[in-house]
């Protein structure tokens, strides 16, 4: 027990969750030096959807963004979110691409890499943890939290032990939908503290309204670090807001040591940015219905947009009912990138066609073939046979079947390369990257 540490997420998850990932580097930079002095455990600044958003919407080089952050943040470790073998994309990459990406992330300023796999298939964390250790970064192994008949306390404890054995420096419990209830958190974190020696960090979203209460019980159970976002972009579908925790824990055994007045001043800056970008603003409200549907906030807004685009918005409720059915048939994957997209798209197809699985997405077929790893449970046998049509399921870790690809990417994009990192940008988002490079060339 004792002092609790905060990871500030407004520069990554905060604006990803509430401002469609639209904050630009020039908007953030003026306060990074001040934030750096506050005494945060770390600042999450990179990865997740920010990389894609930089080149797709902001006409910014994500690698340059990272370097500029690092120049201003000399004291506070910088943190990123990595989708394991998916890196920052939606499919598995070969190990040579993953290794180069991790090497370059650390070289350009990342200190802590939070590594998760959407299926909690630990084989997909192994290499990322290994490479992060190799290049001197802090490897944070992650367990994605979800609820299903298969996801019991035993599952989480076993996964946590394996992650520690793999060489993780800390463990993150990642609750992307706000499903972890306060007393369950107390129970789970108490047990985790007994089972593993590495520090435990909790990442929650306030989507269902439970997040802040869950953090308080987690603190009582001895959690080491919690993720919060400054209130300008905190609460709702983002992290629980930072400032109340500083106030709450002040003069208690959990005291964060962070100055409440200074943090409020910095928050004013982000309120200004938020007010200028109103058109991207998400929901600060809470939606307890998510506790039943278990669909994370990000996935809900994706589904809404997708249905609007296809003039199917009247089918929204039908799709919401279809998601848990598809999820069960696919062996109860947690709903987080990229499984949230895979399950969501199939649910839309099933409703749109009126005949379930008469149209099957390429992604769901790849999922069934094992290209994303092992699902927690069994895939419906009949569906599996119907969709695979005699094709075989991959044995072992999928990336072991992938040939090295870095040299091919380098060759494909050679006329645009200005620095080695460009090859990685291209590997992750080929068509968007090419447009971005084209524009940069002038
Ligand atoms: Co998150």
């Amino acid at each position: 027990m004792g002092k609790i540490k905060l990871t500030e997420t407004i520069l990554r998850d905060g604006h990803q969750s509430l401002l469609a990932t639209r904050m630009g580097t020039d908007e953030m930079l003026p306060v990074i030096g001040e934030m750096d002095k506050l005494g945060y455990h770390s600042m999450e600044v990179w990865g997740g959807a920010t990389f894609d958003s930089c080149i797709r919407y902001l006409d910014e080089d994500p690698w340059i963004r990272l370097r500029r952050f690092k120049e201003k943040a000399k004291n506070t470790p910088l943190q990123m979110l990595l989708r394991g073998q998916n890196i920052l994309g939606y499919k598995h990459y070969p190990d040579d691409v993953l290794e180069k990406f991790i090497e370059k992330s650390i070289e350009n300023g990342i200190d802590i890499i939070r590594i998760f796999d959407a299926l909690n298939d630990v084989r997909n964390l192994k290499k990322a943890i290994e490479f992060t250790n190799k290049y001197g970064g802090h490897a944070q192994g992650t367990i994605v939290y979800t609820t299903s008949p298969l996801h019991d306390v035993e599952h989480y404890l076993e996964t946590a032990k394996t992650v520690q054995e793999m060489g993780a420096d800390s463990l993150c419990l990642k609750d992307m939908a706000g499903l972890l209830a306060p007393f369950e958190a107390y129970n789970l974190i108490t047990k985790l503290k007994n089972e593993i020696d590495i520090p435990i960090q909790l990442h929650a979203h306030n989507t269902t309204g439970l997040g802040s209460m869950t953090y308080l019980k987690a603190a009582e159970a001895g959690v080491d670090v919690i993720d919060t976002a400054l209130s300008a972009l905190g609460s709702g579908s983002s992290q629980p807001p930072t400032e109340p925790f500083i106030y709450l824990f002040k003069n208690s055994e959990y005291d964060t040591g962070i100055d409440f007045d200074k943090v409020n001043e910095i928050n004013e800056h982000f309120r200004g940015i938020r007010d200028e970008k109103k058109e991207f603003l998400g929901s600060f409200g809470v939606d307890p219905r998510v506790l039943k549907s278990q669909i994370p906030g990000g996935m809900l807004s994706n589904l809404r947009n997708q249905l609007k685009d296809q003039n199917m918005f009247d089918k929204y409720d039908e799709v919401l009912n279809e998601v848990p059915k598809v999820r069960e048939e696919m062996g109860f994957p947690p709903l987080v990138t990229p499984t949230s997209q895979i399950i969501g798209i199939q649910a839309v197809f099933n409703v749109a066609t009126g005949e379930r699985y008469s149209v099957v997405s390429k992604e769901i077929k790849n999922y069934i073939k094992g290209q994303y790893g092992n699902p927690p449970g069994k895939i419906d046998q009949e569906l599996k046979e119907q969709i695979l049509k005699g094709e075989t399921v991959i044995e072992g870790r999928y990336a072991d079947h992938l040939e090295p690809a870095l040299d091919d990417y380098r060759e494909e994009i050679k006329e645009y390369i200005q620095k080695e990192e460009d090859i990685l940008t291209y590997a992750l988002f080929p068509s968007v990257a090419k447009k971005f490079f084209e524009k940069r060339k002038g």
Side-chain angles (χ1 to χ4, degrees):
M1 306 295 147
K3 199 169 144 57
I4 201 156
K5 295 178 217 135
L6 304 186
T7 288
E8 176 56 56
T9 66
I10 193 166
L11 305 170
R12 203 285 295 176
D13 210 351
H15 75 115
Q16 181 174 325
S17 298
L18 281 173
L19 213 57
T21 334
R22 292 306 208 284
M23 248 204 282
T25 306
D26 288 333
E27 292 169 308
M28 303 187 245
L29 224 49
V31 286
I32 294 200
E34 287 304 306
M35 291 172 80
D36 184 44
K37 293 182 206 151
L38 286 174
Y40 284 122
H41 169 71
S42 64
M43 293 192 281
E44 192 197 36
V45 298
W46 213 62
T50 62
F51 194 100
D52 186 6
S53 176
C54 272
I55 54 171
R56 193 181 295 268
Y57 303 118
L58 302 171
D59 202 20
E60 268 194 42
D61 187 326
W63 299 99
I64 308 276
R65 166 180 286 193
L66 178 54
R67 288 176 198 172
R68 293 177 73 199
F69 281 167
K70 194 64 180 180
E71 272 168 29
K72 297 270 183 188
K74 301 276 187 215
N75 306 300
T76 313
L78 298 184
Q79 188 168 324
M80 73 167 292
L81 179 66
L82 186 85
R83 298 170 184 158
Q85 206 71 34
N86 295 296
I87 307 184
L88 299 176
Y90 302 94
K91 61 169 192 182
H92 280 202
Y93 287 87
D95 291 333
D96 67 329
V97 180
L98 178 68
E99 176 164 6
K100 185 57 81 180
F101 187 89
I102 288 173
E103 181 192 347
K104 286 291 168 189
S105 300
I106 293 169
E107 195 184 297
N108 282 283
I110 290 295
D111 301 285
I112 302 172
I113 305 188
R114 174 176 294 169
I115 304 157
F116 79 95
D117 178 66
L119 298 173
N120 282 334
D121 184 339
V122 287
R123 299 171 308 173
N124 297 333
L125 304 176
K126 192 170 183 286
K127 287 288 173 182
I129 292 174
E130 206 178 291
F131 296 143
T132 304
N133 287 335
K134 178 175 169 185
Y135 293 99
H138 173 120
Q140 180 168 79
T142 301
I143 313 177
V144 165
Y145 182 82
T146 189
T147 49
S148 88
L150 307 165
H151 290 88
D152 53 13
V153 172
E154 282 314 305
H155 165 82
Y156 293 119
L157 294 180
E158 279 312 307
T159 313
K161 276 191 269 182
T162 313
V163 166
Q164 175 172 270
E165 279 159 22
M166 281 179 168
D169 299 296
S170 62
L171 179 87
C172 173
L173 187 59
K174 177 177 162 70
D175 175 21
M176 53 282 163
L179 300 175
L180 179 60
F183 294 101
E184 285 162 11
Y186 184 86
N187 179 38
L188 181 53
I189 286 166
T190 303
K191 286 186 172 146
L192 281 169
K193 288 300 276 183
N194 286 331
E195 291 288 344
I196 59 171
D197 307 315
I198 51 177
I200 299 172
Q201 181 156 4
L202 182 57
H203 175 87
H205 288 250
N206 220 17
T207 321
T208 63
L210 292 177
S212 293
M213 294 184 272
T214 298
Y215 278 181
L216 181 55
K217 291 304 287 183
E220 288 179 348
V223 79
D224 298 274
V225 192
I226 51 175
D227 282 11
T228 61
L230 283 170
S231 63
L233 293 169
S235 201
S237 57
S238 175
Q239 272 69 68
T242 303
E243 301 94 306
F245 286 98
I246 295 169
Y247 190 86
L248 164 73
F249 290 136
K250 186 113 195 105
N251 302 323
S252 79
E253 60 178 306
Y254 307 108
D255 199 333
T256 63
I258 296 174
D259 188 304
F260 185 70
D261 294 328
K262 282 203 181 112
V263 95
N264 277 296
E265 266 170 48
I266 290 166
N267 185 55
E268 284 305 309
H269 173 79
F270 290 106
R271 285 173 76 106
I273 298 171
R274 178 190 74 190
D275 293 345
E276 280 166 25
K277 298 197 169 222
K278 274 207 173 72
E279 77 260 40
F280 298 115
L281 203 56
S283 169
F284 281 79
V286 297
D287 187 355
R289 290 175 300 180
V290 171
L291 292 169
K292 282 213 86 174
S293 76
Q294 307 189 351
I295 301 174
M299 184 178 175
L300 278 177
S301 53
N302 281 344
L303 281 175
R304 245 181 251 127
N305 292 334
Q306 215 180 323
L307 292 173
K308 270 184 199 151
D309 288 348
Q310 296 168 29
N311 280 323
M312 276 179 58
F313 199 66
D314 56 317
K315 299 275 206 294
Y316 184 60
D317 286 341
E318 246 180 278
V319 171
L320 287 195
N321 288 329
E322 179 66 14
V323 168
K325 288 183 202 155
V326 176
R327 181 175 176 238
E328 179 169 354
E329 285 156 348
M330 292 302 132
F332 292 110
L335 297 175
V336 63
T337 309
T339 43
S340 50
Q341 285 86 343
I342 297 171
I343 300 297
I345 289 166
Q346 190 58 46
V348 171
F349 282 0
N350 286 358
V351 170
T353 56
E355 199 186 327
R356 310 186 70 237
Y357 298 98
S358 59
V359 177
V360 171
S361 73
K362 190 177 129 229
E363 284 74 19
I364 207 119
K365 190 170 178 185
N366 291 341
Y367 171 91
I368 294 173
K369 280 161 84 173
Q371 293 192 8
Y372 294 91
N374 271 343
K378 283 213 165 2
I379 297 172
D380 183 282
Q381 190 58 31
E382 213 172 294
L383 272 176
K384 192 171 173 175
E385 284 166 19
Q386 179 195 325
I387 293 167
L388 284 182
K389 294 195 180 82
E391 285 187 59
T392 49
V393 173
I394 290 141
E395 299 285 336
R397 192 182 75 112
Y398 179 53
D400 287 334
H401 300 263
L402 299 171
E403 293 294 324
L406 206 54
D407 289 339
D408 293 338
Y409 288 128
R410 181 181 284 117
E411 187 58 27
E412 281 172 39
I413 203 73
K414 64 171 182 241
E415 57 180 306
Y416 297 104
I417 298 176
Q418 292 181 358
K419 57 183 181 307
E420 219 182 352
E421 289 83 348
D422 292 342
I423 303 164
L424 298 161
T425 307
Y426 173 72
L428 290 173
F429 303 101
S431 61
V432 187
K434 217 165 174 178
K435 272 184 221 153
F436 174 78
F437 295 147
E438 198 79 59
K439 208 168 165 189
R440 181 175 71 181
K441 230 177 158 185

